[in-house]
Amino acid sequence: MISAEGPALALAQWVAAIPSIRCSAAIVTPWTHRDAVTVPATPTSHFDRASFTTFGEHPPLVARGPHGYVYVLESVPAEHAVTLHAGSEPDESAFSAVVGEAGETPGVLATLPAAPRTAEGLGLGSLRSAVERVLGPARAQRTSCGTDVVRYIPRNPVMSESEMWFVYRNGRVVAFARYEAV
């Protein structure tokens, strides 16, 4: 699975096919390099309340990419979820996602006992109303896969690029991601 250009094609295709994000590939673009329909941005002054970390001190690298990028994939079997990370110290960028509905993962991965949650306790299974209590009401884009996708950006940007994504199925979080770059 290790590739000089990032995740191997089969792994990127597996990630893109996970039901919770299949129709909203833009939330995992650092992994799949696929764009999806544009989702309107909702500015929030509470962006920092949704920070989270998807890996520990010794992350299981599944790929390396150009410009010092590392890719980390961990399984959360108890929640049928995976965590994804792509980041580069030299490029000062970091992407993390928690994706539910993942099913069986390809190959052997590190496992986590539970999926990460945001600083405010938001995570897989959280109600949309709980997310909106923390980050504010948001405009959603309905997908053909039966999910609603929301993209938050900081009201007063501090970083060059920052966005937080939530994917809902039946009003509950099935995936979420955060991207920041200087």
Side-chain angles (χ1 to χ4, degrees):
M1 273 191 230
I2 302 292
S3 163
E5 297 301 316
L9 180 60
L11 184 56
Q13 289 174 335
W14 176 81
V15 168
I18 296 172
S20 62
I21 58 173
R22 185 176 60 241
C23 289
S24 51
I27 81 160
V28 293
T29 293
W31 267 75
T32 62
H33 304 291
R34 289 177 40 196
D35 289 329
V37 81
T38 302
V39 174
T42 300
T44 178
S45 56
H46 304 292
F47 190 83
D48 289 334
R49 294 171 69 186
S51 62
F52 63 96
T53 303
T54 56
F55 62 92
E57 289 183 29
H58 304 289
L61 300 181
V62 295
R64 292 187 185 278
H67 310 292
Y69 257 82
V70 295
Y71 295 85
V72 176
L73 173 63
E74 296 173 307
S75 176
V76 189
E79 298 181 57
H80 304 288
V82 293
T83 65
L84 306 168
H85 174 78
S88 170
E89 287 288 328
D91 282 353
E92 296 184 65
S93 68
F95 164 82
S96 292
V98 178
V99 179
E101 303 177 346
E104 191 169 326
T105 58
V108 177
L109 304 173
T111 60
L112 299 173
R117 300 182 84 67
T118 70
E120 293 286 325
L122 302 172
L124 296 178
S126 291
L127 293 173
R128 181 173 176 174
S129 59
V131 174
E132 290 188 348
R133 267 193 301 278
V134 172
L135 297 173
R139 296 178 288 167
Q141 177 75 43
R142 168 74 65 169
T143 73
S144 61
C145 295
T147 58
D148 293 322
V149 183
V150 170
R151 180 171 61 110
Y152 286 100
I153 59 171
R155 185 172 310 281
N156 299 311
V158 180
M159 306 289 279
S160 296
E161 293 180 66
S162 299
E163 52 189 34
M164 180 83 179
W165 298 77
F166 284 90
V167 179
Y168 302 96
R169 187 181 309 283
N170 300 322
R172 292 194 177 271
V173 175
V174 292
F176 60 102
R178 184 177 172 113
Y179 174 73
E180 293 181 312
V182 174

